[in-house]
Amino acid sequence: MVQFHEHIITELLEDPSGGLVVLSSGLGLHKLISSLLLLHHPSQGTLLLLSSSPSLKSSILSSLRQNQNPNTTGIPNLPSEITFDLPAYHRLSLYSSGAALFVTPRILIVDLLTSRLSPSSVAGIILLNAHSLSDTSTETLIVRILRSSSSSLYIRAFSDKPHAMVAGFAKPERILKCLYLRKLHLWPRFQVYVSQDLERNPPEVVDVRVPMSPCMRGIQKAVIEVMDACLKEMRMTNKVDVDDLTVENGLFKSFDEIVRRQLDPIWHTLGKKTKQLVSDLKTLRKLLDYLVRYDAVTYLKYLDSLRAAENFRSVWIFAESSYKIFEYAKKRVYHFGRLDGSKLIGKSKIVTTKKRRLDDRTVEKEDSLPTSSNSGVVLEEVLEEPPKWKVLREILEEIEEEREKRHLSMVEPVIEGEEDDNGIVLVACKDEFSCMQLEDCIIKGPHKAMREEWEKYLLSKIELHGLPKHNKKKAKDPKGFGILDGVIPKTPGQNAEASSISKQENDALLAAAAEVSKHNKKDTPVKDHPQPYIGNGGHAKGRGKGRKGKTSGSVPLSANKDDKSANEAAMNDKTEMVASENGGPRYETDPVVGDSDKVILQKHYHGVNAASSSNAKQLPPVHFYALESDQHILDILKPSSVIVYHPDIVFVREIEIYKAENPTKRLKVYFLFYEDSTEVQKFEASIRRENGAFESLIRQKSLMMIPVDQDGRCVGQSSSTDSEPIISRNSVTRKAGGRKEDDKEMQVIVDMREFMSSLPNVLHQRGIRIIPVTLEVGDYILSPLICVERKSIQDLFGSFASGRLYNQVETMVRYYRIPVLLIEFSQDKSFSFQSASDIGDDVSLNSIISKLSLLVLHFPRLRIVWSRSLFATAEVFASLKANQDEPDEAKAMRVGVPSEEGIVENDARAENYNTSAVEFLRRLPGVSDSNYRAIMDGCESLAELALLPLEKLAELMGSQKAAKTLREFLDAKYPTLL
C-alpha cells in the first residue's frame, strides 16, 4: 500500500459518520477499497458495497487475494455477491453473517422494505459511484432508511471521476446532503502526499515522438477543418453555449453529453440539420481517434461503411474538405489510374515504379468490365504501414539488446536488494483489435499483416457486390458532391471523366478481389517475401489481456535486416507513398481481369531470401493489454518494460502506483506519440481537464454550507414537512375548532420491477409507505379501485410498437374500476411529445397522438394522467389517494394470477371472467360500450341471450332500434349471410 492510501483511510476513520472521497483516475481505488475491507471485522456488523462495476469488483477481489497471507490463520472470507438467483432464506443468512457483501441497490431496497434486512445489523455502506448519485437515486433512498433506523451507521462514498463531479450546479454539496455527510476529501494528483509518493522512485521514461506520414497529416487536417465547420454551423443555431463548442472539447466523449444536455429540453424544436450536426460531431471524433489507432486498410474500410450508411443525411460529408479525407485514405492503400503508353494518369508524381505488362495470352477472361477507353487500367497496391509499427519493433529490439548486455556484463544492481529483471514487456493498446493486429505485425511482419488486411478488404468487396440490389429510381439532380458514389470532385476539365473513372476503379477493385479469391480457392498464397517467424515457445494465451509466453527466456523472433531496410524506406516521411527507387522494392505485376482494358494489379515484392534468417534479431516475450478491458494487469505480470502504444492518463497513473509499490523494481516506460497529432492534444487536454475539475472542487469545498448537527442530517426535503396534509396546514376554526386531524399513513403497493426508476424514492420522501410485491396487473396500486400503469416517454413508444401496452390496459380495465395510464416526462426535457408543427390533422400509423387517441376510444374507462416530473407524479398520487381506502397487499398480488384450484368466489382472478364471451358479445350488431354491461347483468350466457324476445332485448339495451338490429342478426338464416 502506498502511503497516501494510508492517509485517506486515516481521515475516513476519524469521522464515525464517514465521508466523500474524490481522487484522480488511476490512483488505485480498488486497492483503497480492499484495504478498508481488510479492516472490517464480522463482529461490527454487515458491510454493504453498492453500485460496483464488474471490472472494479473483480479488481477488488484480486487485490484482496494478493493481500491475504496464506500462512496466517483466521483469514476473513472474500466478499460475497448477492443476486436475484439467491433464495430469500439464503440472502437472510448472508445479511446476518456480518461479512462484506456486494449487492445491487435494487435488491437491497426490496430487502429493506420487506424487512429481510434489519437496519441495526448493518455496520456501514461503501458507495463506489458517488459521481452518479442524485436526490432521486435508489442509493439515496437506502441511505435515508438506514440512517433513520441506525445513528451509528457510517457511509463512505468514493469517486475517481472528478470531471463528473463538477457537472451541474453544486453537485458535491447536493451529494453530501443526500448521503447525510459533512466531509469532502479531495485527493488530486498534485496533492502533496500523492506527488511525494509517486515521484520518490519514478520509472525511467522514454518519450518517443513518431512523425505522421503526409497522408495521415492530410486526413487529420481535413477532419479538423470539417469539425470546425460543423461547430460553426452549431454556433449559428444559438442553441448551445458557445464556450463549450471548441475542437479541443470535441475530442472527448463527454462533449456529446454536454451538447445533448443543453439541447434535450428543446430537442423537439430543433431542425433535422441541427440534430444531424450532433451526430456528425461524434462521427468526426471517431475518425480522428481511428486515424492514430488503426492501420490504413481498416481506416478505409470504416470510411466505406460511413459512406454507405450515412448517405445524403450527413452534413459533414458535404463539407468543403471532406473529399480530402476519402482521397488521402485511398492513397494510403492503393493508387488507381490508366496507362496511355507508359504514363500513369491520376497518379502522384512522387511515386516512380517499374511496371511489367504481361502477355495477353495469360489474361483469363472472367468478366467483362465496361470501360471508356482502350488503355490498360492499373491498380497499384501501396499498403502504407502505420509509422508506429516500425518504431515498436525497434524498441523491442533495443529492449532485448539492453537485456542481453546486462546478462553478459553481470553488473551488480545499483540498489541493494533490487529485484531481478524478468524480461517481460507489456504493450498497452486501446482495444483488443489493436492488440491482435500488433501481435500479427510482430509475428508475421508488418508487410504480411497489411497484406492480410488488404485481402480481407478485397474479399469484403466481393461479398458486398454479391448482395441482391433493390431497384430504386435515381434522382435526376443529385445533391452535393458525388462522394457517396466514390466520385471525387475534380477541376472543371476533369468532370467529364469523373463518373467513368469511379466506375473503373470499382471494377478494378472487384477484379483484384476475384484474383485473390481465385488464389485462395487454389490454396496458393499470394506471392510475397518470407516474413519473420516465431520459434518454439512463442505467445501462448490471452487476447488483449496479456499474452503470456515463457518467462525463463526470450521468445525467438527473427527479424530480417533487409526487411527492416525496406520498412524504413516504406515509412520515409519524404515520400507520400511507398517509393520504389533503384535497388529498392520491386513490383510484380499480375493480370487480374480484363476485356478491352487490361487491369493490372501491382504487388510489392521484397527481394529477401529466407536463408538470411541467420542475421535475425531476437525479441523479448511480449504481452499485449487492452486498456478498454479495465483489468489491472501490472501487479500480475510485473513487467520490466512497458510500451504505452496508445497513451492514456489512467494507465499512466497505474504505472506510477505500480512503481511506487515496487521501488526496487527496474521499470522502463516508453510512450509512443504521433508528433503534432490530436493524440498528443487529447492526452494533454485530459490532464488540464482533470486539474481544472479539482480546482473547481476545491473552490466549491471552501464555499460549502454544511450543517453541523450531531446526527449528520442535512437540510433538504424530509418526510416530516412534506407528508403533512394540506388540509391540516390550512385548517379553519369552523371545522372542529381547528383541531388537527389524526394523520393516517398512506401506502402504495409497488411492483418489484419499478425500483429501476426513481419514483419509489420520491414517494418515500413524501412520507408514503412503499410495499414492494410482484404484480401481474399494473405498476402501482393506490387503492382497491385505482391501478396505475406508469410509462416513461421511451417506454411508451416501445410499448406501442410491440403491442404490450394494449394488453396491459386490457387487463387493468378488466380487474380495476379506475385504470390509469401515467405518462411521465423527464424534468429536464420538454413537456411535449413533438412540436406543434409536427402534429397532423389526420390519423397516422406513425403518430403517437393518433395511437393514444385510438387507445382511449377502445378503452373508454381508461384515464390518462400527464406528469411533468417525478415530483409532480408524487403530488398526483397523493391527490388520487385522498378519500380512498388503502390497498390490500394480498388481493393485489392475486389479481391476474391463474388459479390452480379452480374458481374462487369473490376473487379477482382471470377464471372469473369469460373474456372470450365478453369480446364476442361486444362485437355483435347493436351492442355498444354503453349497453353491453346491462346485457351481461340480464343474461347468464350467450345461449340465453339468443332466446330473449325483442321486448326484453329492448328493455336491456335501452333502444328499440338496437334491439331490432341484434334480433335480426340472431334470427337471420344461413343463406342470407352469403
Side-chain angles (χ1 to χ4, degrees):
M1 181 193 301
V2 289
Q3 292 184 5
F4 72 87
H5 281 180
E6 297 178 0
H7 288 288
I8 296 175
I9 294 174
T10 303
E11 288 185 356
L12 285 175
L13 295 178
E14 288 177 355
D15 190 351
S17 63
L20 172 61
V21 179
V22 181
L23 71 161
S24 295
S25 302
L27 290 186
L29 177 60
H30 63 289
K31 297 181 179 180
L32 183 62
I33 301 300
S34 62
S35 301
L36 285 173
L37 293 180
L38 290 176
L39 296 176
H40 174 73
H41 194 271
S43 62
Q44 301 172 358
T46 305
L47 178 59
L48 303 174
L49 291 91
L50 291 180
S51 307
S52 175
S53 62
S55 59
L56 181 57
K57 186 188 307 177
S58 62
S59 301
I60 292 173
L61 294 176
S62 62
S63 180
L64 282 172
R65 294 188 189 99
Q66 293 175 5
N67 291 333
Q68 287 180 357
N69 187 3
N71 297 327
T72 60
T73 57
I75 300 174
N77 295 327
L78 294 176
S80 303
E81 183 178 1
I82 294 181
T83 61
F84 274 117
D85 299 334
L86 293 177
Y89 68 90
H90 195 179
R91 295 209 300 268
L92 184 60
S93 63
L94 286 176
Y95 287 141
S96 59
S97 64
L101 303 173
F102 285 105
V103 60
T104 61
R106 183 182 172 190
I107 298 176
L108 183 58
I109 187 59
V110 172
D111 288 342
L112 273 175
L113 294 174
T114 55
S115 301
R116 289 196 187 100
L117 172 62
S118 174
S120 60
S121 64
V122 179
I125 296 177
I126 294 181
L127 290 167
L128 301 174
N129 65 338
H131 53 273
S132 64
L133 298 182
S134 64
D135 301 337
T136 58
S137 58
T138 308
E139 292 90 343
T140 307
L141 175 58
I142 293 171
V143 171
R144 188 185 309 117
I145 294 175
L146 292 176
R147 277 288 194 188
S148 61
S149 302
S150 177
S151 59
S152 61
L153 178 80
Y154 65 83
I155 297 166
R156 292 163 186 166
F158 297 88
S159 174
D160 59 351
K161 293 179 173 54
H163 56 276
M165 292 292 295
V166 295
F169 178 73
K171 189 171 183 178
E173 186 175 355
R174 288 187 285 110
I175 292 176
L176 289 174
K177 290 182 179 180
C178 294
L179 301 179
Y180 303 104
L181 298 175
R182 289 162 37 199
K183 287 191 177 181
L184 173 64
H185 307 283
L186 302 178
W187 289 86
R189 171 62 178 82
F190 55 82
Q191 209 268 353
V192 177
Y193 293 121
V194 179
S195 59
Q196 286 179 354
D197 289 346
L198 300 185
E199 296 171 7
R200 186 176 294 114
N201 294 294
E204 183 181 354
V205 178
V206 180
D207 192 351
V208 182
R209 299 299 173 106
V210 183
M212 301 173 68
S213 67
C215 285
M216 292 178 69
R217 287 197 294 267
I219 293 175
Q220 177 178 280
K221 182 180 178 182
V223 173
I224 291 177
E225 288 177 357
V226 174
M227 182 179 288
D228 192 36
C230 291
L231 290 174
K232 287 180 181 177
E233 291 286 339
M234 186 76 74
R235 293 189 194 101
M236 293 172 61
T237 61
N238 295 325
K239 305 289 186 182
V240 189
D241 188 4
V242 180
D243 297 335
D244 294 331
L245 296 182
T246 61
V247 176
E248 183 174 297
N249 288 338
L251 300 177
F252 297 96
K253 290 183 179 179
S254 60
F255 180 77
D256 302 332
E257 301 173 3
I258 295 173
V259 175
R260 286 302 300 265
R261 186 168 60 245
Q262 296 186 31
L263 294 180
D264 267 345
I266 55 172
W267 187 256
H268 68 286
T269 64
L270 298 178
K272 294 182 179 179
K273 183 178 180 181
T274 306
K275 294 179 180 179
Q276 187 61 42
L277 281 172
V278 177
S279 176
D280 288 348
L281 290 172
K282 182 178 180 180
T283 302
L284 292 171
R285 188 185 65 248
K286 285 185 178 180
L287 286 177
L288 283 176
D289 187 23
Y290 291 172
L291 176 64
V292 297
R293 189 191 299 190
Y294 299 130
D295 63 284
V297 180
T298 305
Y299 192 74
L300 179 62
K301 191 184 299 183
Y302 177 68
L303 279 177
D304 288 346
S305 66
L306 285 182
R307 182 160 47 192
E310 300 205 353
N311 210 334
F312 59 87
R313 295 170 297 176
S314 296
V315 179
W316 74 270
I317 213 167
F318 298 112
E320 185 177 356
S321 302
S322 63
Y323 77 96
K324 297 180 183 178
I325 302 173
F326 295 90
E327 184 180 8
Y328 282 124
K330 288 181 180 179
K331 285 183 178 180
R332 296 179 68 198
V333 180
Y334 64 86
H335 267 315
F336 173 78
R338 292 199 308 272
L339 283 175
D340 289 335
S342 60
K343 294 183 179 180
L344 181 63
I345 298 177
K347 188 170 181 292
S348 175
K349 296 180 180 179
I350 300 177
V351 181
T352 58
T353 60
K354 296 181 180 179
K355 302 173 215 45
R356 183 162 48 88
R357 295 286 301 276
L358 296 184
D359 191 42
D360 292 342
R361 290 173 297 179
T362 62
V363 179
E364 298 182 6
K365 311 261 181 151
E366 294 183 0
D367 292 319
S368 177
L369 300 178
T371 54
S372 59
S373 63
N374 295 325
S375 58
V377 178
V378 174
L379 183 67
E380 177 198 350
E381 297 176 1
V382 177
L383 303 184
E384 177 184 283
E385 299 162 8
K388 280 188 179 182
W389 284 12
K390 173 175 171 286
V391 177
L392 176 63
R393 176 174 284 272
E394 292 176 352
I395 291 175
L396 292 175
E397 293 174 357
E398 176 187 335
I399 292 173
E400 183 62 21
E401 289 176 0
E402 291 180 356
R403 183 167 167 267
E404 290 178 355
K405 287 179 182 179
R406 284 197 300 269
H407 283 294
L408 291 176
S409 59
M410 298 298 291
V411 178
E412 293 296 330
V414 179
I415 304 175
E416 185 178 355
E418 188 178 64
E419 298 179 17
D420 293 335
D421 185 6
N422 56 11
I424 296 178
V425 179
L426 180 65
V427 179
C429 305
K430 193 72 175 176
D431 54 12
E432 188 174 341
F433 179 81
S434 301
C435 294
M436 297 170 62
Q437 199 171 53
L438 283 181
E439 186 185 28
D440 291 340
C441 172
I442 294 175
I443 296 175
K444 303 174 183 177
H447 182 66
K448 190 171 183 180
M450 288 296 296
R451 175 159 296 283
E452 288 181 355
E453 292 294 332
W454 168 245
E455 291 179 358
K456 291 177 185 177
Y457 173 75
L458 291 177
L459 293 177
S460 67
K461 287 284 185 182
I462 289 185
E463 295 176 1
L464 186 63
H465 185 70
L467 294 177
K469 297 181 179 180
H470 302 283
N471 294 326
K472 293 183 180 180
K473 295 182 179 179
K474 295 183 178 179
K476 295 182 179 180
D477 299 324
K479 299 179 181 179
F481 293 143
I483 290 290
L484 303 178
D485 299 322
V487 181
I488 299 173
K490 302 288 183 181
T491 57
Q494 296 175 338
N495 285 338
E497 298 183 6
S499 59
S500 62
I501 290 178
S502 173
K503 183 73 168 60
Q504 290 180 358
E505 181 177 350
N506 187 44
D507 291 340
L509 287 172
L510 291 175
E515 180 70 13
V516 171
S517 178
K518 182 180 68 174
H519 276 287
N520 292 341
K521 288 180 181 179
K522 293 180 180 180
D523 293 330
T524 58
V526 180
K527 290 183 180 180
D528 205 344
H529 68 93
Q531 293 294 335
Y533 61 91
I534 285 192
N536 295 331
H539 297 69
K541 58 183 178 179
R543 273 195 173 186
K545 300 177 182 178
R547 305 182 180 273
K548 298 183 178 181
K550 291 186 178 180
T551 58
S552 59
S554 61
V555 178
L557 289 169
S558 61
N560 192 281
K561 290 184 177 180
D562 295 336
D563 186 25
K564 178 182 175 182
S565 62
N567 290 338
E568 290 177 356
M571 300 320 302
N572 191 357
D573 293 321
K574 295 181 181 179
T575 59
E576 186 169 336
M577 260 61 65
V578 178
S580 102
E581 302 172 354
N582 294 331
R586 293 183 290 109
Y587 294 95
E588 179 186 3
T589 57
D590 287 344
V592 182
V593 178
D595 188 8
S596 60
D597 287 11
K598 277 57 171 195
V599 180
I600 298 178
L601 177 63
Q602 296 183 339
K603 302 177 183 179
H604 291 279
Y605 179 77
H606 297 267
V608 179
N609 190 0
S612 62
S613 61
S614 59
N615 298 325
K617 292 184 178 180
Q618 288 189 343
L619 298 181
V622 182
H623 299 253
F624 294 91
Y625 167 63
L627 296 173
E628 291 182 351
S629 63
D630 289 333
Q631 293 189 357
H632 304 278
I633 202 171
L634 292 173
D635 295 323
I636 300 174
L637 290 180
K638 298 188 180 298
S640 301
S641 302
V642 178
I643 301 175
V644 187
Y645 192 83
H646 294 135
D648 181 73
I649 185 64
V650 177
F651 187 64
V652 172
R653 302 275 169 72
E654 292 177 3
I655 295 175
E656 290 182 319
I657 293 291
Y658 166 71
K659 186 62 174 70
E661 292 179 340
N662 302 274
T664 60
K665 178 76 176 178
R666 182 186 288 113
L667 179 64
K668 193 171 184 178
V669 183
Y670 296 87
F671 287 99
L672 295 184
F673 287 99
Y674 279 117
E675 193 173 5
D676 299 329
S677 67
T678 55
E679 186 179 37
V680 180
Q681 185 180 359
K682 184 177 181 180
F683 183 78
E684 295 174 350
S686 62
I687 299 176
R688 292 194 300 268
R689 187 161 159 247
E690 185 181 88
N691 292 340
F694 270 110
E695 290 172 1
S696 176
L697 288 173
I698 292 171
R699 285 193 300 269
Q700 292 185 41
K701 182 179 180 181
S702 63
L703 300 175
M704 279 183 185
M705 307 244 340
I706 301 297
V708 291
D709 48 341
Q710 297 299 322
D711 58 355
R713 294 184 181 274
C714 297
V715 179
Q717 290 185 339
S718 62
S719 59
S720 60
T721 57
D722 291 343
S723 62
E724 186 179 356
I726 300 176
I727 299 175
S728 61
R729 281 183 268 168
N730 298 324
S731 58
V732 293
T733 57
R734 283 182 289 180
K735 292 184 178 180
R739 181 177 58 85
K740 184 177 180 180
E741 298 179 357
D742 295 334
D743 295 337
K744 64 176 182 178
E745 185 184 27
M746 290 186 178
Q747 61 184 24
V748 173
I749 299 176
V750 183
D751 185 29
M752 293 280 197
R753 294 174 286 269
E754 277 299 302
F755 284 94
M756 297 292 290
S757 69
S758 300
L759 183 55
N761 184 7
V762 179
L763 294 175
H764 187 270
Q765 286 184 7
R766 288 190 54 87
I768 300 176
R769 182 189 171 200
I770 306 298
I771 304 176
V773 297
T774 301
L775 297 177
E776 291 294 329
V777 180
D779 293 330
Y780 296 86
I781 308 300
L782 305 185
S783 72
L785 305 178
I786 303 176
C787 176
V788 179
E789 179 70 30
R790 174 186 167 272
K791 294 290 181 186
S792 62
I793 302 302
Q794 184 178 3
D795 192 18
L796 181 68
F797 279 85
S799 299
F800 269 124
S802 63
R804 187 173 72 251
L805 182 59
Y806 180 89
N807 297 328
Q808 292 171 338
V809 174
E810 185 180 25
T811 55
M812 284 198 303
V813 171
R814 183 187 307 169
Y815 294 118
Y816 290 94
R817 185 174 299 178
I818 308 177
V820 177
L821 174 62
L822 171 68
I823 301 176
E824 187 177 87
F825 289 78
S826 179
Q827 189 171 4
D828 56 348
K829 294 185 180 180
S830 176
F831 190 32
S832 61
F833 281 125
Q834 52 197 116
S835 58
S837 59
D838 295 337
I839 300 177
D841 298 332
D842 299 331
V843 175
S844 173
L845 291 176
N846 298 324
S847 173
I848 188 67
I849 303 298
S850 300
K851 293 179 181 179
L852 278 174
S853 303
L854 293 175
L855 185 68
V856 174
L857 289 174
H858 196 78
F859 300 103
R861 288 198 296 116
L862 178 66
R863 301 292 179 257
I864 297 181
V865 174
W866 306 84
S867 176
R868 180 68 182 85
S869 64
L870 294 170
F871 299 99
T873 303
E875 294 283 349
V876 170
F877 279 11
S879 301
L880 290 176
K881 284 185 64 65
N883 302 322
Q884 292 283 340
D885 296 332
E886 296 300 330
D888 188 353
E889 178 182 353
K891 290 183 178 180
M893 292 176 64
R894 290 199 306 268
V895 169
V897 180
S899 173
E900 297 180 357
E901 63 273 10
I903 299 176
V904 181
E905 188 177 358
N906 297 327
D907 190 9
R909 291 175 182 261
E911 286 80 359
N912 291 343
Y913 298 88
N914 191 347
T915 55
S916 300
V918 173
E919 292 298 324
F920 181 79
L921 172 65
R922 296 181 63 181
R923 283 165 174 76
L924 292 177
V927 180
S928 63
D929 291 331
S930 59
N931 58 20
Y932 82 96
R933 288 186 177 275
I935 297 175
M936 290 172 60
D937 294 337
C939 300
E940 294 293 334
S941 64
L942 290 173
E944 183 180 347
L945 174 66
L947 300 176
L948 288 179
L950 182 61
E951 295 78 9
K952 183 66 174 178
L953 282 177
E955 181 182 352
L956 291 177
M957 301 178 69
S959 171
Q960 185 72 24
K961 182 178 179 181
K964 186 177 180 181
T965 303
L966 178 60
R967 187 73 264 168
E968 290 177 353
F969 174 79
L970 294 175
D971 294 340
K973 294 183 179 180
Y974 178 73
T976 61
L977 297 177
L978 293 178

